[in-house]
Amino acid sequence: KNQVEQSPQSLIILEGKNCTLQCNYTVSPFSNLRWYKQDTGRGPVSLTIMTFSENTKSNGRYTATLDADTKQSSLHITASQLSDSASYICVVSHPNQAGTALIFGKGTTLSVSS
Amino acid sequence: DGGITQSPKYLFRKEGQNVTLSCEQNLNHDAMYWYRQDPGQGLRLIYYSQIVNDFQKGDIAEGYSVSREKKESFPLTVTSAQKNPTAFYLCASSLEGSSYNSPLHFGNGTRLTVT
């Protein structure tokens, strides 16, 4: 069964610290992997999209890595800020099934405290 | 600014009533989607549309209906047949089908409460 598992479910860190969120998937075949940030009560916003041939992609203080062999991805947040408090969602895409191709993880809720 | 507008932000309805959620985009995107988000669950696809006047059922289409008469608009109707309609509904669009590399652009959602 195609699944996307994220860990931890929730995380609390101090402002200024780094953190890493994990995403393991069993989706096959695989087209691309995406990370989204969702603030409370808002829609998700795209952070990165990586194809199977990409190992890492950065967006400011956010760096995503992908190991297509082990089917694992991580999102590293550097020098966290209070505004990083949000849910981070990992999404994996099937090829050739437009519209029904995206498998969403349940998200990791990050709380950054001062 | 280009984006997706969902309205209303909050919606309250009595059980047994149909309700329509609005979604408008000015990004000139071909594809549009409706997702449902429940606490502790990943987003689930309700309906999607690749072009005007065409749409397909997603994973949880029962009790919902859509139309795509204009490229910019993709309204969702939650019917009385939907057994558990209380949820956060998200509309999204993409330049092309989601199996390609274009990101989804989401609206800010409509929170529907049915009592």
Side-chain angles (χ1 to χ4, degrees):
Chain A
K1 183 180 178 182
N2 290 318
Q3 287 186 315
V4 175
E5 300 287 343
Q6 293 187 243
S7 62
Q9 185 174 357
S10 62
L11 182 62
I12 302 173
I13 62 173
L14 288 175
E15 187 179 12
K17 297 296 186 183
N18 302 338
C19 67
T20 300
L21 314 181
Q22 300 290 344
C23 174
N24 295 340
Y25 61 94
T26 58
V27 179
S28 182
F30 160 86
S31 177
N32 59 63
L33 186 143
R34 310 161 183 223
W35 283 94
Y36 285 84
K37 177 188 179 187
Q38 184 177 21
D39 292 322
T40 301
R42 311 270 291 186
V45 174
S46 178
L47 293 176
T48 63
I49 297 178
M50 291 182 291
T51 64
F52 64 87
S53 61
E54 296 177 288
N55 299 119
T56 185
K57 183 165 279 190
S58 292
N59 179 355
R61 293 180 297 103
Y62 301 101
T63 299
T65 64
L66 173 63
D67 185 335
D69 291 332
T70 61
K71 297 186 176 180
Q72 295 179 324
S73 176
S74 65
L75 181 69
H76 186 74
I77 304 174
T78 303
S80 61
Q81 300 176 358
L82 296 178
S83 59
D84 292 331
S85 296
S87 177
Y88 292 85
I89 303 171
C90 176
V91 187
V92 179
S93 175
H94 275 293
N96 301 323
Q97 293 184 49
T100 61
L102 300 182
I103 311 296
F104 288 78
K106 295 180 181 180
T108 292
T109 301
L110 174 64
S111 299
V112 180
S113 61
S114 57
Chain B
D1 285 337
I4 297 182
T5 301
Q6 290 187 242
S7 62
K9 188 171 178 62
Y10 299 96
L11 191 54
F12 299 88
R13 280 294 182 271
K14 295 289 188 184
E15 195 173 320
Q17 292 179 333
N18 292 354
V19 61
T20 297
L21 282 58
S22 171
C23 177
E24 303 278 334
Q25 56 102 355
N26 60 4
L27 298 166
N28 200 32
H29 284 172
D30 289 318
M32 296 188 74
Y33 313 81
W34 274 105
Y35 288 92
R36 171 179 171 142
Q37 188 173 37
D38 294 285
Q41 294 195 37
L43 272 67
R44 292 181 291 169
L45 182 65
I46 304 173
Y47 268 99
Y48 67 98
S49 169
Q50 299 283 65
I51 57 172
V52 174
N53 292 322
D54 185 57
F55 48 82
Q56 305 295 328
K57 291 182 179 180
D59 302 316
I60 56 166
E62 185 175 349
Y64 300 98
S65 66
V66 293
S67 62
R68 186 88 186 275
E69 298 176 0
K70 299 186 299 181
K71 187 175 185 177
E72 304 79 22
S73 179
F74 192 40
L76 173 74
T77 297
V78 184
T79 75
S80 56
Q82 167 50 232
K83 291 180 171 47
N84 187 18
T86 295
F88 189 51
Y89 290 89
L90 287 161
C91 179
S93 71
S94 66
L95 190 60
E96 53 194 0
S98 59
S99 56
Y100 297 99
N101 294 339
S102 55
L104 288 181
H105 294 260
F106 285 90
N108 280 323
T110 292
R111 188 168 297 280
L112 173 64
T113 302
V114 177
T115 58

